[in-house]
Structure formats: C-alpha cells, structure tokens
Amino acid sequence: MQAIEISVFGAPGVLRVCERAQPVPGVGEVLIRVAASGVNRPDVLQRKGHYPAPAGASDLPGLEVAGVIESGDAQAMAAHGLQAGDRVCALLAGGGYAQWCVAPVEQCLPVPAGLSDVEAASLPETFFTVWSNVFDRAHLRAGETLLVQGGSSGIGVAAIQLGRAFGATVIATAGSEDKCAACLALGAHHAIAYRSQDFVAEVLRITQGRGADVVLDMVAGDYVAREVDCLAEDGRIAIIAVQGGVRAAFDAGKLLRRRLTITGSTLRARPGAFKGAIARALREHVWPLLASGAVRPVVYRSFPAHEAAQAHALMESNSHIGKIVLTW
C-alpha cells in the first residue's frame, strides 16, 4: 500500500510517499480501507520529533481516518454493531496516513448519516478530545460558561458546538476578527480577539464579574495564571496542549480560596478501554446531533495524500478555520 512517512524529523518537506506492507488486524481489530485521513497538531509534533508514537503503534503519522471496514475480528465487530462493508471513522494511535490501517473495533464509530468521508475523517481526534476533557474531566453542565481558547482550531470548533448543544454559554478566543466571526457563526455566544483584547477582562465583563466555569486550554504557559484570574468559584481548567510552553506560574492561593481545579490529559497513549468508553458516549450523545445537523464538521481544506507536506504547512500557518484532511 501507499503511505506517508516521516523520512527524518524536520519541516513539512520531510513527509514523503512510501510503500508499506498492508497491516493485518488482530484480535479486537479491523482493517479499514482509508478514504480520508485527518491532520492534527500532534502529527506536526511527531514530524518534528517531539511526540513519538506509543509503544506498539505504527510509526506512520495519522490519528483519525474514515473509510470502509474490509475485514477483522467478526465477533468484536458484532459486539459493537459493526460488520465488514460498513463506513466508519476511527481514532488511532498512529498509522492513519495510509491507504489501509488497523484500528481497535471499540474506537470505530459509524459515519453519521449524511456525512462524506472527508467530513467523517475530521471527527474522531477532536470530538474524542473535547468530550473527554470538557465533559468527563471538567464536568461542564448546562447553564455554565465555557471559555474555549483557540476557537477557530479543529478542537475549538468542536468545543464551541458541543458546549452550546449541551446548554452552556460559550465564549471563544481567536486571533483575528474574521476568526471571531467564524466562532460566532458556529454558535459561540461571545468571541474575543485575543491579540487586541484582554481575554481576562472580557470574560469578567461578559459574565458580570463571575468568571468562566470551565476553560479548555491549548496554550498553557503564561495563559494558566490569566485563566485562574477569570475562573468562577469552583471553576475548572482543562489543559490539552502546551503551545505556549510547559511551565506556568500562578497564584495557588486563589485555587485554595475559590476551590479551583486544574487538570490535563493526553489521549494517544491511553488504553483502548478508556477510548472505547468515550466512543460509546459519543455514539449516544453526539452522533445523533451530527446526523441531525445540529452539530457539524468544519473542514477548511482537503489535500490529496501525496500533498501532505502542503497540508502540514497550512496547519503551521494558523490561517485555517476548522480541520484539514488528506484524501486517498
């Protein structure tokens, strides 16, 4: 099969088309003929040598795909309501930049009705991440206020829509007025242009001094202290990336006095059972919203797979809104 490999660590140009043996599914796994592969920030980090694949995972980049089940563990498929020939999207620990990939059955979900393969491939990494962190870890509830940092990113557009769908007031930050407008169009109640506005002051103004109940943070670094300053009592910060740096200094006294929580997680190395539980929650609570159109995938651009380098360059330019996808 054809695949896209990281020839050496470095700039986007190190991605190259290669020939690899077609993978073979094992117990609890399926073989997927890939139609489209999502592109994500962790792929960029892996390409640069900063995010190695977990032990036992493919060295090929790619954490999400959409395609058709070709074969696999029939008993496991039946237990999850799937069979050969079904269109699915899947969360992977690696190997998604290829014409075929192997995925655990429990991390596969049927393509929501009405969605294309490109749209379906944009779902798993972001929706698994948002559900796990915003709802499972930070326990966002209806009536609360959610602050989404980087609202125009793939994660951001999913968080905005899910937050609104489940009854939260959503505030998003973005880097330009155009991106703020996109966040509002996706359902954010308020959007803050962080380059020209102080998001702490704006959150406190919008909430009449109360603050946000949950913050979804992809920045970390010096953002953490500022997020502490705009949290409501009993507020929660969920950190999912460290684009602003791994070190953060903040007033721990505020955590004590206002009963704040700072949590964080990465998904890639978590066991299959953990990811399977998220998949079941998504299928029950979120997939009906996608099928009805209440929540929708946002794909900025798709590239033929052999143009993976251009796709990575676009991601690093930060000029996109939503997801970038490769097609096979």
Side-chain angles (χ1 to χ4, degrees):
M1 68 175 184
Q2 285 195 328
I4 306 298
E5 69 179 5
I6 300 168
S7 57
V8 294
F9 296 134
V14 305
L15 296 171
R16 69 180 184 189
V17 179
C18 66
E19 294 285 333
R20 290 286 184 97
Q22 184 174 300
V24 177
V27 175
E29 294 180 331
V30 293
L31 177 68
I32 298 173
R33 175 164 45 86
V34 177
S37 312
V39 177
N40 293 283
R41 291 281 175 186
D43 304 344
V44 173
L45 294 175
Q46 181 175 341
R47 193 200 74 226
K48 293 179 175 181
H50 303 319
Y51 194 34
S58 171
D59 66 302
L60 297 173
L63 302 178
E64 59 184 351
V65 299
V68 175
I69 295 176
E70 293 253 312
S71 62
D73 184 331
Q75 184 174 355
M77 283 191 278
H80 289 82
L82 298 171
Q83 62 184 353
D86 284 352
R87 293 177 66 223
V88 294
C89 55
L91 182 72
L92 313 172
Y97 288 15
Q99 290 179 306
W100 279 269
C101 73
V102 163
V105 176
E106 61 192 345
Q107 292 168 213
C108 296
L109 287 162
V111 172
L115 266 59
S116 69
D117 291 324
V118 167
E119 291 172 322
S122 76
L123 299 176
E125 172 69 10
T126 49
F127 279 79
F128 274 70
T129 298
V130 170
W131 188 268
S132 179
N133 286 277
V134 173
F135 296 94
D136 285 345
R137 297 188 68 82
H139 306 295
L140 180 69
R141 296 183 290 270
E144 292 190 322
T145 298
L146 168 66
L147 172 62
V148 179
Q149 302 285 23
S152 63
S153 67
I155 292 286
V157 300
I160 288 170
Q161 294 186 84
L162 290 183
R164 175 134 193 173
F166 288 97
T169 296
V170 180
I171 305 171
T173 67
S176 68
E177 293 297 337
D178 285 347
K179 288 186 175 182
C180 283
C183 292
L184 293 171
L186 285 167
H189 296 84
H190 309 274
I192 301 167
Y194 65 79
R195 289 193 173 96
S196 59
Q197 297 175 288
D198 178 355
F199 76 78
V200 176
E202 285 299 297
V203 168
L204 292 175
R205 179 188 66 79
I206 291 166
T207 61
Q208 300 181 320
R210 182 180 179 277
D213 298 285
V214 173
V215 178
L216 182 61
D217 178 14
M218 297 165 248
V219 184
D222 62 8
Y223 264 48
V224 177
R226 299 168 67 193
E227 289 162 351
V228 166
D229 287 342
C230 66
L231 272 183
E233 290 192 356
D234 298 300
R236 295 85 73 194
I237 299 171
I239 300 172
I240 59 169
V242 290
Q243 296 178 34
V246 297
R247 299 188 180 278
F250 54 87
D251 185 343
K254 293 180 180 178
L255 267 71
L256 302 178
R257 293 190 296 273
R258 293 161 55 204
R259 305 173 302 282
L260 308 181
T261 300
I262 300 176
T263 185
S265 71
T266 58
L267 186 58
R268 190 176 189 183
R270 297 302 295 271
F274 178 85
K275 298 174 188 177
I278 301 172
R280 290 190 296 275
L282 289 173
R283 190 166 184 173
E284 178 181 355
H285 300 292
V286 177
W287 254 228
L289 299 175
L290 286 161
S292 71
V295 172
R296 59 187 178 88
V298 180
V299 177
Y300 182 76
R301 185 174 171 186
S302 63
F303 292 82
H306 68 270
E307 295 181 5
Q310 291 94 313
H312 275 226
L314 174 59
M315 173 155 283
E316 291 186 277
S317 76
N318 294 317
S319 61
H320 61 292
I321 296 171
K323 293 298 293 284
I324 300 168
V325 177
L326 305 178
T327 58
W328 294 90

